Amino acid sequence: MKYLAAYLLATLGGKAEPTKEDVIAVLESVDAEVDQEKIALLITNMAGKSMEEVLEAGRGKMASMPSAGAAAGPAATTAAVVEEESEEEEEESEEDSDLMGGLF
């Protein structure tokens, strides 16, 4: 992901088709580790493609993904389970203090 981000930053910096050296320069400017093979693969895959074309293809893929409302269902269920568990722990804690005669 960092390689693609560096590529995008180089594009925003005015390079229509950033080179391997451009991407490396961006990464080294923030002291990031550089994997030459991954950068070479990125440059090869991006050759001859405009950023607009790549981003549009990504939007098309994202359109088939579930929406945020559908994804919130499992998260809401998980939150309810966690809340229920914490309520049970509070009840157990109150029972324990009752057994001790209210010492604590």
Side-chain angles (χ1 to χ4, degrees), residues 5-66:
Y7 187 91
L8 288 169
L9 286 171
T11 303
L12 289 173
K15 301 279 187 172
E17 284 195 38
T19 63
K20 183 177 177 179
E21 291 76 25
D22 295 328
V23 175
I24 291 171
V26 171
L27 292 169
E28 287 179 345
S29 73
V30 293
D31 295 327
E33 290 183 29
V34 175
D35 183 337
Q36 300 283 338
E37 291 176 15
K38 288 183 180 180
I39 295 172
L41 180 63
L42 173 67
I43 299 299
T44 301
N45 288 334
M46 294 298 293
K49 297 178 185 175
S50 70
M51 286 312 305
E52 292 78 18
E53 176 184 335
V54 173
L55 292 173
E56 190 58 39
R59 282 188 199 102
K61 290 179 182 180
M62 289 181 66
S64 65
M65 295 174 66

Side-chain angles (χ1 to χ4, degrees), residues 73-97:
T77 303
T78 303
V81 169
V82 170
E83 184 176 331
E84 184 177 310
E85 289 175 357
S86 71
E87 287 175 4
E88 289 176 6
E89 289 175 9
E90 287 178 21
E91 289 175 10
E92 289 175 10
S93 174
E94 290 174 8
E95 289 174 6
D96 288 345
S97 65

